[in-house]
Amino acid sequence: MKESQTFILSPEERKQLQLLKKRLQQEPAADYRIAVLVKASGMNRTKLHKGFLFLFGSGIHAYLLEQRLKTAQRLLKQTDLPIKAVAVQSGFKQEK
């Protein structure tokens, strides 16, 4: 985003983005399709993406990937689960 541009989020939009970030942290394996996130947040796709990036310095997809990798790392260290189970529980679903 250019420095000359101002990005404005209402208090409610900030709250929705904070809730989304918390949800991504707590449930990284859930299915996060952009259409569902847009509907849940009450923001359009552009505002959701730019707002998340503005507040947290990372895009939604990059942040979710980071959370999924952290979950997989924790499960590999703390459990005896097979790698495939760790992958599924971390949100890395097998492509069909």
Side-chain angles (χ1 to χ4, degrees):
M1 198 174 304
K2 295 179 183 177
E3 287 184 36
S4 62
Q5 293 177 332
T6 303
F7 192 77
I8 299 172
L9 290 169
S10 72
E12 182 59 29
E13 289 169 334
R14 286 177 179 268
K15 180 181 175 185
Q16 289 301 320
L17 290 167
Q18 291 283 353
L19 290 172
L20 172 58
K21 182 181 180 191
K22 186 175 182 178
R23 184 175 170 198
L24 295 175
Q25 288 172 332
Q26 293 176 344
E27 303 174 49
D31 184 12
Y32 293 107
R33 295 170 202 228
I34 193 67
V36 174
L37 297 177
V38 164
K39 186 174 182 179
S41 71
M43 289 179 255
N44 67 42
R45 183 182 185 135
T46 301
K47 185 101 181 202
L48 179 65
H49 172 73
K50 288 184 178 181
F52 198 92
L53 184 61
F54 176 77
L55 280 183
F56 308 118
S58 174
I60 295 170
H61 183 263
Y63 184 78
L64 179 58
L65 179 59
E66 179 184 336
Q67 295 309 306
R68 287 177 171 172
L69 289 170
K70 285 181 180 180
T71 299
Q73 183 179 32
R74 180 182 50 78
L75 289 172
L76 287 169
K77 286 181 178 179
Q78 297 176 358
T79 71
D80 292 327
L81 290 171
I83 291 176
K84 185 173 182 177
V86 168
V88 170
Q89 288 187 27
S90 300
F92 297 104
K93 306 285 191 264
Q94 189 173 15
E95 295 288 324
K96 291 183 180 181

